[in-house]
Amino acid sequence: MINVETKLVLLGTGTPNACPWASGPASAVVVDGHAYLVDFGPGVVRRAAEAYRRGEDALRPDLLDTAFCTHLHTDHTAGFADLIFTPWVLEREKPLGVFGPKGIRNMAQHLLSAYAVDIDFRLHGFERANENGYKVEATEIEPGVIYEDERVTVEAFTVSHGTLESYGYKFTTKDGKTIVISGDTAPLDIVAEKAKNCDILLHEVEYAAGIAAREPKWQKYHREVHTLSTDLAEVAKKAQPKLLVTYHRIYHMNIQDNAIDVEAETRRRSDLILQEIRDAGYTGKVVNGEDLDVFNA
């Protein structure tokens, strides 16, 4: 069997908070020189351009042509227009293929309608862009294998994020490497099942100690739709990934508070999240993912 290079590149590790050092959720599974995006939060194409500048050739913006969406929350989709149009302006010649929950096709169609003036000018005005790169081929999915090519098979599985239709994704390469991405979810056995002995599990997390300071209604909400560090430890103990990477970290603090050193406080809470995971009994390798981190499978 020929080994192919497989890696996970984090393009955005943030949340709905407008954190200046963590763009909106977006990741790239890179297999044999081709990038498969998962989610497209704010800043996705510029983060990809920076990854390309750092040597990740598959993230050159005009090559971004395949994406998967976990759910339709704005922090995971606000970069959709950017992903449709910016690579086209940079001469992407293929339509963007996107896979996601019900509503993704409607979202794509409305974005194309919203930018109809721009599309018309680029097609018929002075610039004369190509006629395919702005198009979107949107596929609304159900659980199961939803995509396969000569490099990778992608399986979608249902996760729990309130009443919103939400998916996690498992990427399996032709030489058996596996990367699992949780999307936003409460702690679930199905994530542990799909991630069993995987090479990389990328999972959202929230600071367990911080939730106690929130109002009861927010504590209830966060426990139902996100995963506490202590619960992530239980998922990881069942899954036993070779590497557990956290992203979409919810710190339970005001990110927009200039009265404190917010960056220092988020670093402190990030460290405490890792400690909570370890204190809950998980002994495997775990790291906090940051924007533009690269992990080899």
Side-chain angles (χ1 to χ4, degrees):
M1 181 179 292
I2 298 174
N3 291 327
V4 298
E5 185 179 47
T6 302
K7 61 181 71 173
L8 174 69
V9 182
L10 303 184
L11 302 177
T13 57
T15 66
N17 286 298
C19 181
W21 54 86
S23 289
S27 307
V29 176
V30 178
V31 183
D32 199 20
H34 189 85
Y36 305 86
L37 299 187
V38 178
D39 287 333
F40 21 86
V44 58
V45 175
R46 280 160 176 76
R47 279 295 199 236
E50 175 64 9
Y52 171 66
R53 190 185 69 82
R54 295 185 180 197
E56 299 300 328
D57 291 347
L59 274 301
R60 199 176 77 194
D62 63 302
L63 299 178
L64 303 177
D65 60 18
T66 308
F68 302 84
C69 180
T70 61
H71 63 293
L72 298 183
H73 266 155
T74 52
D75 56 320
H76 294 252
T77 59
F80 197 9
D82 188 21
L83 184 59
I84 294 170
F85 296 111
T86 304
W88 176 47
V89 171
L90 298 175
E91 301 185 355
R92 179 179 65 204
E93 296 184 353
K94 296 174 60 176
L96 174 66
V98 63
F99 301 79
K102 292 177 182 65
I104 192 70
R105 184 181 296 120
N106 190 49
M107 182 180 283
Q109 290 170 345
H110 279 285
L111 286 171
L112 292 172
S113 296
Y115 285 89
V117 171
D118 177 83
I119 294 169
D120 180 70
F121 182 77
R122 293 186 190 279
L123 289 176
H124 306 113
F126 297 143
E127 297 185 53
R128 297 287 180 176
N130 71 72
E131 297 183 358
N132 291 308
Y134 74 92
K135 296 176 181 177
V136 181
E137 297 174 351
T139 301
E140 296 185 346
I141 64 172
E142 295 181 349
V145 173
I146 58 163
Y147 179 90
E148 188 169 13
D149 63 20
E150 68 275 14
R151 292 172 290 265
V152 69
T153 299
V154 183
E155 179 185 2
F157 55 93
T158 302
V159 296
S160 178
H161 192 49
T163 57
L164 200 60
E165 182 180 346
S166 303
Y167 293 98
Y169 292 102
K170 179 177 183 178
F171 291 77
T172 304
T173 69
K174 297 307 180 183
D175 63 347
K177 297 290 180 64
T178 52
I179 295 176
V180 176
I181 298 176
S182 71
D184 285 7
T185 183
L188 296 175
D189 284 340
I190 192 172
V191 177
E193 174 191 327
K194 298 300 181 183
K196 186 69 174 176
N197 299 320
C198 69
D199 290 281
I200 302 172
L201 169 59
L202 178 67
H203 203 294
E204 67 125 87
V205 71
E206 56 181 329
Y207 178 40
I211 199 171
R214 304 296 301 272
E215 296 177 42
K217 67 175 183 179
W218 286 114
Q219 290 190 38
K220 181 177 185 296
Y221 166 79
H222 280 283
R223 288 180 182 276
E224 290 179 350
V225 302
H226 292 294
T227 301
L228 291 171
S229 56
T230 48
D231 291 327
L232 177 54
E234 296 305 313
V235 172
K237 280 191 278 187
K238 294 173 184 176
Q240 291 296 307
K242 293 183 176 67
L243 174 64
L244 171 63
V245 181
T246 77
Y247 82 134
H248 196 282
R249 289 183 295 279
I250 300 172
Y251 297 110
H252 296 296
M253 59 177 285
N254 183 5
I255 298 294
Q256 278 71 54
D257 185 359
N258 274 338
I260 64 171
D261 186 338
V262 172
E263 188 170 2
E265 180 60 17
T266 56
R267 284 199 304 268
R268 187 183 76 86
R269 294 188 182 213
S270 286
D271 290 342
L272 289 171
I273 285 171
L274 290 182
Q275 190 60 52
E276 288 177 333
I277 292 170
R278 296 187 184 104
D279 288 347
Y282 183 63
T283 58
K285 186 176 181 182
V286 54
V287 298
N288 287 323
E290 305 290 352
D291 286 24
L292 299 171
D293 280 349
V294 178
F295 302 98
N296 292 307

